[in-house]
Amino acid sequence: MSRVYFVVFLVSIYLILDIYVFIAVRSITEGLNPIWRRAIFALYWFVSIVSLVGVLLYRQIDPKQLGNLRLYITTFFFVLFTGKLFSTVFLMLEDVRRGITWLVDLFPFVEEKHSTSRSDFMQKSALIAGAIPVATMSFGIISGAHDYRVRNRKVYSPNLPKEFDGIRIAQISDIHTGSFFNKVAVEGGVDLLNAQKPDVAFFTGDLVNNKSEEAKDYLDIFKKVSAPLGVYSVMGNHDYGDYTSWASQEEKMKDVQNIHKMHAYMGYDLLLNENRTLKVDGEEIAILGCENWGNGRFAKYGDLKKTVKGSEDQQYKILLSHDPSHWDAQIRPDFGDIDLTLSGHTHGMQFGVEIGNFRWSPVQYRYKQWADLYQEGDQSLYVNRGYGFIGYPGRIGILPEITILELKRS
């Protein structure tokens, strides 16, 4: 029943926005040829109704057969809804101003009368205000979704063995295969990663959105990720099937096992609260892989004590942990000998501004460390902005990332 109430609420809000914006459309088209005017009205309501019907029928669409159609429907609805919401807010602010003017004009001591009609200029401005986010979000889908950027950083540490000085690490995170719609572009990103010729590669979680079946068509693409010292990976919060319905706990656990097998198929050494030793010319460093552990409401499958067991004597340690909130919550306070932590998870919210060293995204009000390199004492954290996307199938300002870290002895 709660879902029924939500649908009724959503439809009501959508129709209110539709009517409010349509009044402005009708007003500014008064001077047009009647035929053109009727065509504009018909197109406006056709697009709105198709979008609304698509969302209402969303659950009847088979995700296995028509997964992309579901993505297109939700994206189209979300983009239109956002544009109409912006326009409506603009129009409502103007109506509030007109209302105040009308109230003031009621008093007899006010000599000058003001027009309370909504101006043609304001209505056009409102429609432009709604068109801007629609255009921006559309551009973010067409251009930003697969505009992979290689980000190079140097990470210094006095604990790094000299044989590892200059080693190059590639990191990707948050692939989210269930959201992809362009295999050619996705493969191009993998080719770009391999072109960097890293010595070792890491994947820090979220292969899928909900279920292992989402990754099937992309396994052979990500299998191409290669590095002479190996490819290592961990699980992300979306890889445990916690955000979808299952017939039984056994079915859910079987799907998690499928995720594990997929990592093996791709040649990724999946670390489940365990560690490995990386050797170069007789020297060693530890690669630690902790299962997902997120501060707050996110599931806590990780066990750091178990993860580090056996690596205590290693001079330098790299930890793969999907959620960057883990760094301040457990890693720094309790495991000060972990030199470098690699995380993802935030996606940079897929929206923000990055100009030079200036970075801003709404996600920073949720995560203290949300993108790029952070250092506290001799400990470092790198937060990858993500390779894929979820929800909104695009990126605005915060582009998909391939990280190349060069380890340097200080």
Side-chain angles (χ1 to χ4, degrees):
M1 185 60 69
S2 60
R3 181 178 176 274
V4 174
Y5 289 147
F6 175 75
V7 170
V8 171
F9 173 77
L10 181 66
V11 171
S12 299
I13 294 297
Y14 187 78
L15 290 177
I16 289 171
L17 297 180
D18 250 340
I19 293 170
Y20 215 82
V21 175
F22 178 72
I23 292 172
V25 171
R26 186 177 62 183
S27 177
I28 67 172
T29 58
E30 284 183 354
L32 292 180
N33 181 290
I35 295 177
W36 280 107
R37 197 168 185 235
R38 286 195 292 269
I40 292 172
F41 294 171
L43 180 62
Y44 178 90
W45 287 111
F46 174 79
V47 171
S48 292
I49 291 171
V50 167
S51 174
L52 186 58
V53 170
V55 169
L56 293 176
L57 296 179
Y58 177 85
R59 292 176 69 89
Q60 278 66 54
I61 299 173
D62 185 354
K64 295 182 180 180
Q65 302 296 325
L66 297 169
N68 282 346
L69 179 59
R70 288 165 64 108
L71 175 64
Y72 299 151
I73 286 173
T74 54
T75 301
F76 188 52
F77 180 85
F78 179 67
V79 170
L80 281 181
F81 187 91
T82 302
K84 290 174 181 178
L85 181 62
F86 270 68
S87 291
T88 299
V89 169
F90 209 92
L91 291 168
M92 290 181 70
L93 289 174
E94 170 61 9
D95 285 346
V96 169
R97 184 198 65 78
R98 292 191 304 117
I100 294 173
T101 300
W102 179 81
L103 288 173
V104 170
D105 286 347
L106 292 177
F107 293 92
F109 55 80
V110 177
E111 296 180 359
E112 183 180 356
K113 292 288 182 179
H114 306 278
S115 171
T116 59
S117 63
R118 186 191 283 164
S119 70
D120 182 66
F121 170 78
M122 292 304 298
Q123 292 182 103
K124 288 180 180 178
S125 299
L127 295 180
I128 291 172
I132 289 173
V134 170
T136 302
M137 294 173 72
S138 298
F139 181 79
I141 296 169
I142 297 169
S143 176
H146 300 291
D147 188 7
Y148 302 105
R149 298 298 174 94
V150 177
R151 295 185 181 271
N152 293 275
R153 296 289 184 270
K154 292 183 179 180
V155 181
Y156 294 88
S157 173
N159 300 323
L160 186 70
K162 63 180 181 179
E163 285 76 7
F164 285 87
D165 189 15
I167 191 172
R168 286 163 53 82
I169 292 172
Q171 180 199 3
I172 56 174
S173 191
D174 301 87
I175 291 174
H176 289 288
T177 50
S179 298
F180 286 145
F181 56 86
N182 187 337
K183 290 181 72 173
V184 174
V186 172
E187 188 168 13
V190 172
D191 292 340
L192 180 60
L193 184 156
N194 287 332
Q196 310 310 307
K197 300 186 183 304
D199 297 300
V200 62
F202 299 122
F203 167 51
T204 46
D206 277 359
L207 179 64
V208 299
N209 295 343
N210 297 301
K211 296 183 177 182
S212 62
E213 63 189 27
E214 299 166 5
K216 290 180 180 178
D217 292 339
Y218 291 90
L219 295 179
D220 287 334
I221 292 177
F222 288 100
K223 187 178 182 180
K224 296 179 181 179
V225 174
S226 62
L229 295 179
V231 182
Y232 299 86
S233 60
V234 290
M235 301 276 279
N237 58 298
H238 281 267
D239 294 326
Y240 296 91
D242 290 337
Y243 307 124
T244 190
S245 300
W246 302 94
S248 65
Q249 183 66 19
E250 290 75 18
E251 183 184 24
K252 177 184 176 183
M253 294 309 300
K254 182 179 179 180
D255 199 73
V256 173
Q257 290 298 318
N258 285 339
I259 295 283
H260 294 175
K261 292 175 182 177
M262 287 175 170
H263 282 250
Y265 175 81
M266 293 186 294
Y268 297 5
D269 187 352
L270 178 63
L271 304 179
L272 303 170
N273 294 327
E274 52 190 330
N275 60 76
R276 302 284 188 268
T277 299
L278 208 61
K279 298 181 180 181
V280 172
D281 296 334
E283 289 286 350
E284 300 179 350
I285 64 173
I287 307 299
L288 317 174
C290 189
E291 295 202 55
N292 189 75
W293 194 101
N295 198 17
R297 63 184 178 86
F298 290 103
K300 296 173 174 57
Y301 294 96
D303 185 335
L304 264 181
K305 289 183 179 180
K306 183 179 178 182
T307 300
V308 303
K309 188 176 181 180
S311 69
E312 292 84 358
D313 295 334
Q314 292 290 355
Q315 184 177 341
Y316 188 86
K317 300 180 180 68
I318 299 174
L319 171 67
L320 312 184
S321 181
H322 178 71
D323 191 322
S325 66
H326 200 185
W327 200 52
D328 277 341
Q330 282 191 341
I331 298 166
R332 287 203 310 110
D334 303 325
F335 297 85
D337 60 343
I338 293 178
D339 302 275
L340 172 62
T341 301
L342 302 180
S343 300
H345 183 62
T346 72
H347 299 208
M349 202 175 170
Q350 300 167 211
F351 173 80
V353 177
E354 293 198 79
I355 303 174
N357 293 324
F358 174 77
R359 292 193 301 274
W360 176 87
S361 169
V363 78
Q364 71 188 51
Y365 305 115
R366 170 65 176 85
Y367 290 94
K368 181 181 176 182
Q369 297 90 14
W370 61 276
D372 225 279
L373 184 63
Y374 302 85
Q375 291 181 296
E376 293 286 346
D378 290 334
Q379 289 185 285
S380 301
L381 165 69
Y382 192 89
V383 184
N384 181 282
R385 295 161 178 80
Y387 189 92
F389 43 83
I390 191 170
Y392 168 60
R395 287 175 174 263
I396 301 170
I398 306 295
L399 299 174
E401 174 179 356
I402 297 165
T403 308
I404 301 295
L405 301 177
E406 183 180 358
L407 302 187
K408 300 295 293 182
R409 181 180 173 88
S410 59

